[in-house]
Every structure is written in structure tokens, then in C-alpha cells.
Amino acid sequence: MLKNRVKELRARHGFSQVELAKRVGVTRQTIGFIEKGGFSPSVALALRLAAHLETTVDDIFWLEEEEFDE
Amino acid sequence: MNNNDFRVQFPLWNIALWFIFMIWTYGVIYAVDLLMNGLESHNWNIAAITALFGGTFLMLLFLVLYAVKIHKHNKRYPHQQIDGFSLFKPGEFIDDDEMLQQVTQNATRKVYVFYWQFLPLIILLMLFPFNRYVFIVALCLVFIIQNLLYYLEVRKYFSGDTDYADDTPAPKKPVQTKKNLRKTAPLVVVGILVLVAAITATAIFQMKSTHEANLEQAEKCLDNGGTVVSEETNWYGLNSVTCSQN
């Protein structure tokens, strides 16, 4: 499963879900779903999130270990 | 955006439209038959006349409310305008961002599967010599169920019950909690009620039209000096009338 630190990084930057959504050009619900791990964003959106959260994509998103055990 | 957004509720408006259409066509079929067969030889069918005028009134009322609702939505959301009368992009399609596109894709996929399952049944239904109103009701029901499926899928997203991760393993069967039941039960009940109402209306219409046709045929037969023979020939329990000449 794709894990992420969007919520943590967003809070660190002091962004609300609405504010981050506006910055990266999506709806607030999409940010909410990404944070919960319910939606895997496209590469383009992941790159935009990384840019606005001032980090790299692999610092925000990673695959959970058990994915590789299968 | 939430469950009250017009674009989310759009399929419910479509359902209302098809329901009104079902009522209206009952009257229209009667009016067409009346025009084709002549006014003199027909018994006045009060239910059909009520359906014709009532259906026309409801249709006009619907169009006014629909236009007002669209106007309000477009004024409130100038960047997410709906073209309510477009034939190319249904108003219920929501594709503001990639996740909403995914929601729309999932909903249309469900509708596709529904058509794939249901259309052969409609063809089977057409093999039987029902009144043409039966087929109109069947097709209206297809549209109603299509919109209900679409609405239920999109609504899940806005109530936060769904998961659109691309790489998640096979989803676990959702636990049917009391909260979930409270949300879906009214829609299921409405769906069943619509289905039962439509089947009942169709059966009544079938009986009434068969009765009228038999009566007309019997009168013609008696006028020509023949003997009317009534037989139960149809598997759905309706009589047919034949005329034997003495």
C-alpha cells in the first residue's frame, strides 16, 4: 500500500487542506483522500505536492514493506 | 463540494425525469392510438387522459425547476458550469481533478456492466407480444437504474466510504454497519418501490388495453353476425377473443 507524509508536511508548512488543494490544483477531498491513503496520485500531482511541500516525491510517498514480500 | 452539490444530485434529477416520462408516455400512447383509430370507436380512458395532461404538466414543471437549478449552480460555480441540455457530456460527469475523474470512471464502469447485463434481458422481453408501453417502461427502468447506480457510486466518494488507491490489494468486503445501512436503505427502498410501481402500472395497462381490444373485436364480430369465442391463451393470464362465423 502507498503510504505518505502529506498530512504531516502540510501541517509543518501551516497549510490547510483547502490551501494545499488550491496550490496544487485539485479539490480539498482529493487531498483528504491522499492523506488517508485512499487515493494514489498521478506522478504529475505527486511532483506538484513535493514542490509545494518543499521536498522530494520519495520523501512524501513510499510503498509499505509487505508489498515486496509477495 | 458535498452530497448537496447539484452535479452529485444530477442523477436523481434524471431519475425524476424518467419517472415523469413513464407517466406521460402512458397518456401519449393512448392519444396516438386515438388519433390512428379515430375518435368515434374509442372508449374514453380517464387514467390515460389524466396521465397525458398530468404528465405534460409535470414535465413542464420539471423543466422549469431544472433550468432554475442549473442557472443557480452556474451562477454560484462559474468555473464548473453545467450545460444541462448537452448531448455530448452528461451533467453528472465530474472531472475537476484526477481523483474526480477516477470517481466518474468508476461510476461509468458500473453503468457499463449494468448495460452489459440488462440489455440482453430487454431483447428477451421483446420476444413476447406485450403492449408497446411495456417496452417503454422497461427502457425507462433501465435509465432509472443506471442513474441510481451512478449516484450511489459518486455519493460514496463524497461520504468518504470509498477507496481509490491504484495499488491497494483486493479490497476487503465492506462491513455493513448500522450507519451504512441507514444511508443506503432509503435508496434501496425507493428503487424497489419504483420497480414495483412500474411493474404494477405495466400489468394494469396490459390488462386494460387487452380488455379494450377484446371488447372492440367482440363488438365488430357481433355486428357482423358472428359468435365471440373468448379463450385464455396467454401465459400471463389474459384472454384473447376470436370470432367464429355461423
Side-chain angles (χ1 to χ4, degrees):
Chain A
M1 186 180 174
L2 191 69
K3 294 283 184 182
N4 71 79
R5 294 170 59 214
V6 173
K7 190 173 182 179
E8 177 199 330
L9 294 168
R10 176 173 64 77
R12 194 178 292 177
H13 283 77
F15 296 149
S16 66
Q17 280 189 346
V18 176
E19 200 174 345
L20 182 61
K22 273 184 186 168
R23 281 170 181 259
V24 296
V26 294
T27 59
R28 181 192 61 77
Q29 282 90 348
T30 300
I31 297 295
F33 264 71
I34 291 171
E35 287 181 357
K36 281 191 283 183
F39 175 65
S40 300
S42 65
V43 175
L45 178 54
L47 286 166
R48 286 206 299 276
L49 281 167
H52 286 278
L53 295 172
E54 292 171 347
T55 184
T56 57
V57 172
D58 61 351
D59 187 40
I60 308 177
F61 298 99
W62 69 96
L63 283 169
E64 217 172 39
E65 281 300 312
E66 61 232 32
E67 284 290 307
F68 300 105
D69 297 338
E70 290 175 10
Chain B
M1 188 184 288
N2 55 42
N3 274 335
N4 296 323
D5 190 290
F6 183 53
R7 289 181 302 165
V8 178
Q9 291 182 344
F10 206 88
L12 296 178
W13 284 77
N14 288 340
I15 289 172
L17 177 64
W18 287 114
F19 201 71
I20 294 168
F21 190 76
M22 263 200 298
I23 296 169
W24 184 66
T25 47
Y26 179 67
V28 170
I29 284 179
Y30 173 75
V32 169
D33 286 346
L34 205 63
L35 289 172
M36 302 287 274
N37 300 328
L39 291 167
E40 307 83 24
S41 64
H42 222 87
N43 299 317
W44 292 103
N45 180 345
I46 300 299
I49 294 167
T50 311
L52 180 64
F53 289 104
T56 307
F57 171 74
L58 287 173
M59 196 77 86
L60 291 172
L61 184 70
F62 175 88
L63 287 174
V64 169
L65 291 174
Y66 180 71
V68 168
K69 193 85 180 167
I70 285 182
H71 178 72
K72 273 186 182 173
H73 173 89
N74 288 347
K75 206 172 169 185
R76 191 172 172 192
Y77 303 104
H79 301 297
Q80 296 159 357
Q81 292 206 350
I82 297 175
D83 179 0
F85 300 95
S86 168
L87 294 174
F88 300 104
K89 189 191 168 195
E92 60 266 33
F93 278 15
I94 308 171
D95 46 14
D96 299 356
D97 68 18
E98 61 184 63
M99 182 165 165
L100 289 168
Q101 285 165 8
Q102 181 73 51
V103 172
T104 301
Q105 274 174 28
N106 283 20
T108 46
R109 184 188 156 96
K110 281 206 167 172
V111 169
Y112 181 94
V113 171
F114 165 68
Y115 272 100
W116 182 74
Q117 292 170 338
F118 210 86
L119 287 184
L121 294 178
I122 299 281
I123 294 171
L124 281 179
L125 185 72
M126 286 177 174
L127 296 177
F128 296 96
F130 290 117
N131 186 287
R132 63 190 194 278
Y133 184 62
V134 175
F135 306 120
I136 292 176
V137 168
L139 290 174
C140 286
L141 281 177
V142 168
F143 286 123
I144 287 172
I145 297 169
Q146 170 208 316
N147 281 287
L148 198 63
L149 284 173
Y150 193 95
Y151 174 71
L152 290 175
E153 181 63 27
V154 172
R155 193 171 165 269
K156 273 196 291 183
Y157 163 76
F158 290 100
S159 55
D161 292 343
T162 197
D163 191 328
Y164 291 119
D166 292 339
D167 56 352
T168 47
K172 289 173 190 164
K173 206 174 176 184
V175 182
Q176 191 71 310
T177 61
K178 278 185 181 174
K179 196 181 169 190
N180 287 343
L181 272 174
R182 268 205 304 276
K183 281 180 193 166
T184 53
L187 287 161
V188 171
V189 169
V190 168
I192 291 169
L193 284 178
V194 167
L195 193 70
V196 169
I199 290 169
T200 310
T202 306
I204 291 169
F205 181 84
Q206 185 77 29
M207 280 189 272
K208 198 165 177 54
S209 61
T210 307
H211 170 72
E212 281 169 6
N214 285 348
L215 202 65
E216 206 174 312
Q217 202 175 340
E219 278 171 6
K220 273 183 192 167
C221 180
L222 291 171
D223 288 347
N224 294 331
T227 305
V228 177
V229 181
S230 179
E231 292 173 308
E232 192 180 309
T233 51
N234 297 318
W235 60 269
Y236 41 88
L238 295 174
N239 286 0
S240 73
V241 164
T242 53
C243 186
S244 74
Q245 294 294 333
N246 295 323

